[in-house]
Amino acid sequence: MSTALVTGGTGALGRLVVDRLRERGHDVRVLSRRAGAGTHVGDLRTGAGVAEAAAGADLIVHAASDFRRVGRPDIAQTEHLLAAATGARHLLYVSIVGIDRIPFAYYRNKLACEQLVTDSDVPHTILRATQFHELIAFALQTVERLPLAPLPLDFRFQPVAAADVATRIADLIDGEPLGRAPDFGGPEVQTLAQLLEVWRASRARPRRAIRIPVPGRIGRAYRNGDNTCPGHADGTQTWQQFVASAPVSAYTVKPPRTG
Ligand SMILES: NC(=O)c1ccc[n+]([C@@H]2O[C@H](COP(=O)([O-])OP(=O)(O)OC[C@H]3O[C@@H](n4cnc5c(N)ncnc54)[C@H](OP(=O)(O)O)[C@@H]3O)[C@@H](O)[C@H]2O)c1
């Protein structure tokens, strides 16, 4: 049994990682900014409480991220965690497939975090995963009540169940540090139009959708599927199975804000 710290352990992915690690018998600490939400209160952005949470932890899963602020605080968050992780024998950083191919500000910040982890002395694994089913569900849920849902229907995705990613993380963190692990994607690459068809068959919404054209390099990259890894279609739960099981309300990510 090891002592494991999970940052982001209250999030969509992190809480599933916490479950997996506890099932495997680890003593799991969960860092959260909110008292009572985890086992340890702390703020990675300022560093408050981070050293206390990391002291004596031999495994660390770093799944915290501030998507609402487009990942801008993530760099300081990762620096603070690495500074506190000197006793860890393995730290796993959760990243995203294609961040080096898509010029999206959030991805640039994730890439900078990967670099910090790579340059550190902390033995580590970086795991890049594709978009979670939960994220696609959140996006569709957000527009499904509009009379005409504007969506980039020609974007490609390879959505994966956060539960499958959590299992992969638990397997990896129990093993030796790999540096960069093989990417991890869902079982199918589909356009958003195809994903929407499945969603609509189950929920009868949105009644109508219209393709919004997304110009520039970001639009081209998603149309091209630069965010996918078809050679690593290792997740097992399909989008159709996820929608049928419909745990949509469980996903709490909020849209980016500029502050
Ligand atoms: N969503 C996707 O489709 C997807 C795909 C591939 C990879 N990823 C990556 O997977 C990871 C988890 O994503 P997710 O969607 O599960 O995240 P999420 O649900 O948005 O959760 C974010 C987590 O970060 C924590 N956090 C944020 N700022 C913090 C701070 N200053 N101090 C301490 N904790 C902080 C939050 O904890 P509290 O609010 O409790 O403090 C929360 O647990 C991220 O690195 C993301 O980039 C996501």
Side-chain angles (χ1 to χ4, degrees):
M1 183 184 91
S2 297
T3 298
L5 169 66
V6 182
T7 75
T10 58
L13 172 67
R15 58 179 166 237
L16 300 170
V17 174
V18 169
D19 290 347
R20 299 288 180 284
L21 295 179
R22 287 198 172 131
E23 282 158 21
R24 291 169 189 222
H26 295 305
D27 173 20
V28 182
R29 301 175 183 174
V30 178
L31 182 76
S32 172
R33 289 162 296 184
R34 295 167 289 131
T39 61
H40 288 66
V41 178
D43 189 338
L44 285 163
R45 194 176 180 180
T46 62
V50 177
E52 293 80 351
D58 26 24
L59 305 178
I60 300 181
V61 175
H62 183 23
S65 180
D66 199 338
F67 178 67
R68 290 192 75 192
R69 292 190 178 83
V70 200
R72 276 188 297 271
D74 288 19
I75 295 169
Q77 291 192 20
T78 302
E79 283 170 342
H80 286 135
L81 183 65
L82 288 169
T86 46
R89 72 177 154 82
H90 194 177
L91 177 146
L92 184 145
Y93 178 62
V94 187
S95 192
I96 305 176
V97 170
I99 57 170
D100 47 352
R101 299 189 290 250
I102 306 174
F104 176 31
Y106 179 59
Y107 290 179
R108 269 200 299 276
N109 291 323
K110 296 281 301 181
L111 205 52
C113 291
E114 282 193 1
Q115 197 60 51
L116 288 170
V117 172
T118 303
D119 292 344
S120 76
D121 293 329
V122 181
H124 60 267
T125 297
I126 293 170
L127 175 66
R128 292 185 180 178
T130 54
Q131 281 69 45
F132 304 158
H133 290 325
E134 287 84 346
L135 180 66
I136 305 286
F138 175 79
L140 295 181
Q141 196 182 20
T142 303
V143 297
E144 70 177 1
R145 294 198 173 268
L146 298 176
L148 185 62
L151 290 164
L153 294 170
D154 49 0
F155 278 18
R156 285 176 202 282
F157 293 98
Q158 188 182 349
V160 65
D164 285 339
V165 180
T167 302
R168 178 82 175 128
I169 289 171
D171 290 344
L172 285 170
I173 196 76
D174 271 340
E176 291 303 309
L178 296 180
R180 175 89 183 272
D183 289 351
F184 192 80
E188 303 160 327
V189 177
Q190 292 183 304
T191 62
L192 188 57
Q194 290 171 311
L195 299 171
L196 178 67
E197 214 173 289
V198 171
W199 179 266
R200 209 194 245 141
S202 159
R203 297 169 65 104
R205 287 176 185 279
R207 292 219 176 82
R208 296 173 63 217
I210 185 168
R211 181 182 73 83
I212 45 162
V214 181
R217 287 164 59 207
I218 295 183
R220 205 160 43 244
Y222 279 101
R223 278 192 292 280
N224 210 23
D226 290 351
N227 53 324
T228 67
C229 53
H232 296 285
D234 299 324
T236 55
Q237 190 189 42
T238 64
W239 169 247
Q240 190 146 20
Q241 288 165 340
F242 173 84
V243 172
S245 68
V248 170
S249 58
Y251 202 62
T252 54
V253 76
K254 308 223 174 33
R257 65 181 179 201
T258 50

